[in-house]
Amino acid sequence: MNRQGSVSPGTAAPAEERSCSWMKPWLFLVSALAIKTALVTVYLVAPFSRKGDQPTALQQAFTEWRCISAEPQGKERGWMCCPKGWKRFQQSCYYISDDKMSWAESVQNCTGMGSHLVVINSKAEQVFLSKELQASSRGPNFYIGLRAEKVGEWHWVDQTPFNVSAAFWRKGEPTKIDAEKCVVIHSPEAPPNNWNDIRCDHHHRVCEAAAVTV
């Protein structure tokens, strides 16, 4: 006769013991997923282009990157990266300048970093940028990539068609004054409606580039 609690060869283990053995692989997987979830942000110091890839102008301009884990969805690449110090929103990276430049200098500066003056495509993007600019305390006015060659004829720097229904002018703006052909986000104004047309003098700027996936 077997002692109480022991199991003779060929006899099934008690239900409690079978349950614990079955749970061990699942406990391991849950633990692994928890660790992976915790490591969603990494810093890279490399252009990280793969063999055969042509690095973008943005990748060539920067060596330090902040990467966020993205949903792979069956894709080979699962990290979304922006240059260190840039802000990320959805699929884009944004640079908020500390210094001031004219409109033409701002365009050149953004281009030199592999980006362009920001092109705002949605209310969500507009609200995100407005809050970031308010928090920056750098100044009241930040160039965006919108300019008029002629009064009232607005054009984005990347040739995106100007959509009147997706414009975020302050009340009373644009003024349609011939000398005021450049557009800024006026950060003290509550979002979303805080665009001003303004003289193309020296102001801060926001540059935008597509996030790099690796």
Side-chain angles (χ1 to χ4, degrees), residues 83-99:
K84 186 178 179 181
W86 289 47
K87 305 293 183 179
R88 186 190 65 84
F89 179 71
Q90 295 179 349
Q91 309 297 318
S92 294
C93 306
Y94 302 90
Y95 169 76
I96 301 173
S97 75
D98 291 312
D99 58 339

Side-chain angles (χ1 to χ4, degrees), residues 122-136:
S122 68
K123 181 179 179 180
E125 184 181 23
Q126 165 69 9
V127 170
F128 166 79
L129 287 173
S130 297
K131 291 181 177 179
E132 289 291 336
L133 298 181
Q134 287 176 341
S136 72

